[in-house]
Structure formats: C-alpha cells, structure tokens
Amino acid sequence: MSHLQRITLDPGICHGKPCVRHMRWPVEVVLDLIASGMSVDEILSDHPELERDDVTACLEYARLLVSGEPTRQVA
C-alpha cells in the first residue's frame, strides 16, 4: 500500500517543497534526520506530530524520485 498520499505539494507551504500532510515538515528534513543516524522511534519521540507512516511516506517518495518513475501520485 502506498503512503504517498501523505506527501503534499503546496506553493504556500515551505516554498512548494514536498511536505508531510500539509505541515511544515519537508520530506528532505525527515530524510536528513534518518541520514543523521536517528531511528524512526527516535524521530517519532522527538517530534510527536509525525507518525510512523509519515516517515515511511518520505522514504517511499525518495525511492520514487531516485527510480525516475513519475511522481504524479503525490497530492
């Protein structure tokens, strides 16, 4: 099941960058947290407004971009 519906694009939020559920949480920030070595549980503990499916959605979005597949599934 795709979690991509959690990734939103809105010109009025974070300059139109892909974000989590219309919040000011750009996908790139979530990916930076993971790349820094934080576990998903640590991210969720530090940022309770995020949900596990949000982190999964960010990873799925990144995989989609790297694959070269169309990203039109994103809202």
Side-chain angles (χ1 to χ4, degrees), residues 6 9-10 12 14-15 17 19-20 24 26 30 37-38 41 44 49 56 59 61 64-68 71:
R6 290 176 168 268
L9 302 169
D10 182 337
C14 295
H15 307 286
K17 290 183 176 186
C19 290
V20 175
R24 296 189 181 281
V30 176
M38 288 183 77
D41 289 333
L44 298 177
E49 65 277 15
T56 301
L59 291 169
Y61 185 77
L64 187 65
L65 288 179
V66 171
S67 75
T71 57

Side-chain angles (χ1 to χ4, degrees), residues 2-75:
S2 175
H3 293 91
L4 288 176
Q5 69 274 8
R6 290 176 168 268
I7 306 301
T8 55
L9 302 169
D10 182 337
I13 299 174
C14 295
H15 307 286
K17 290 183 176 186
C19 290
V20 175
R21 294 184 290 124
H22 295 285
M23 297 188 297
R24 296 189 181 281
W25 269 102
V27 168
E28 68 180 290
V29 172
V30 176
L31 296 174
D32 283 343
L33 294 174
I34 294 167
S36 75
M38 288 183 77
S39 70
V40 174
D41 289 333
E42 289 171 325
I43 294 169
L44 298 177
S45 177
D46 287 355
H47 306 286
E49 65 277 15
L50 292 174
E51 299 173 5
R52 187 169 299 276
D53 285 347
D54 295 330
V55 177
T56 301
C58 291
L59 291 169
E60 186 176 342
Y61 185 77
R63 187 213 56 84
L64 187 65
L65 288 179
V66 171
S67 75
E69 294 176 41
T71 57
R72 61 181 160 284
Q73 300 169 14
V74 178

